[in-house]
Amino acid sequence: MTSPWTLAPSGTELELDGAGRAETTFTIDNQGPIDQRLVFDVEPGETADQAWFNVVEPQVLVQHGGSATFLVRLAVPVGTAPGPGWFAGRVYSADRAPEETSVISDRVAFEIRQSSRPVPWW
């Protein structure tokens, strides 16, 4: 069964600032015949951690034929090893089991750079 929803990131690459932070959005389109209460989660890749991500408003009501945008904030902690990372968005019905209705977006890639923030000596 195909889903009536499509989930897309605003871009496939995300640039972290000098503090290891960034924001991006994901847009969900509901082409189904009914309004849906949807929940958005971040699915981190192998080198990312779920704790790095914050979804500003993770549950919304999306009218049939309408869309909604989810804001995701990423904050990589100081001392994290440099290297590539990625994550994807996942959306599912708030009224049914996630495994029955989830849709996953394309990946969003980012690069963790050497921290430019000073490390305390203590």
Side-chain angles (χ1 to χ4, degrees), residues 58-103:
Q59 183 173 312
V60 297
L61 176 65
V62 184
Q63 303 293 321
H64 65 282
S67 63
T69 302
F70 297 96
L71 175 62
V72 177
R73 292 187 174 132
L74 169 60
V76 178
V78 174
T80 301
W86 64 268
F87 64 98
R90 176 186 299 268
V91 70
Y92 55 90
S93 172
D95 302 314
R96 295 177 54 200
E99 59 274 7
E100 293 177 7
T101 62
S102 76
V103 173

Side-chain angles (χ1 to χ4, degrees), residues 30-31 54 67:
N30 178 8
Q31 298 306 316
N54 177 41
S67 63

Side-chain angles (χ1 to χ4, degrees), residues 10-97:
S10 59
T12 57
E13 293 186 24
L14 189 59
E15 185 74 28
L16 302 179
D17 67 13
R21 299 181 191 285
E23 291 184 348
T24 193
T25 58
F26 288 78
T27 300
I28 182 74
D29 292 317
N30 178 8
Q31 298 306 316
I34 61 172
D35 299 350
Q36 294 282 329
R37 284 187 325 124
L38 299 176
V39 177
F40 181 90
D41 281 331
V42 171
E43 294 290 323
E46 298 85 15
T47 59
D49 189 308
Q50 184 74 41
W52 300 353
F53 300 92
N54 177 41
V55 180
V56 174
E57 188 177 348
Q59 183 173 312
V60 297
L61 176 65
V62 184
Q63 303 293 321
H64 65 282
S67 63
T69 302
F70 297 96
L71 175 62
V72 177
R73 292 187 174 132
L74 169 60
V76 178
V78 174
T80 301
W86 64 268
F87 64 98
R90 176 186 299 268
V91 70
Y92 55 90
S93 172
D95 302 314
R96 295 177 54 200

